[in-house]
Amino acid sequence: GLSSEQGQLVRSVLTDIVRGVYMCVRPSYIVAKGGVTSHEVAVSGLGMSRARVLGQIETGVPVWEPAGDALDTTTTSTSSGMSKKLRYIVFPG
């Protein structure tokens, strides 16, 4: 397994990648696997300090919408020119 320091480095690199991809691509949703890493991606990668739980796509699989001061994740442009909010889907584990 990874040491604590190695695990933190992996999480840090992952959050930087997610932030960079999000800022370039502006996807409508991001899917994460639960636990510490998905929390770090939400907080450090996307700047979420709060989120609204919209419901579940399946039992135990919540869909979040960034709230408050998240890293400009509140809207994305669609091909029709309408705005759409980012969805963050977190699978447990």
Side-chain angles (χ1 to χ4, degrees), residues 10-30:
V10 168
R11 284 190 297 276
S12 178
V13 170
L14 181 61
T15 58
D16 288 347
I17 290 169
V18 169
R19 183 182 315 109
V21 168
Y22 181 80
M23 296 305 289
C24 290
V25 178
R26 299 292 183 155
S28 298
Y29 61 91
I30 294 176

Side-chain angles (χ1 to χ4, degrees), residues 30-35 38-39 42 48 57-58 60-64 87-93:
I30 294 176
V31 177
K33 187 168 180 303
S38 66
H39 176 265
M48 284 189 225
I57 60 169
E58 188 173 303
V61 182
V63 179
W64 303 354
R87 303 298 190 237
Y88 190 60
I89 303 164
V90 183
F91 282 84

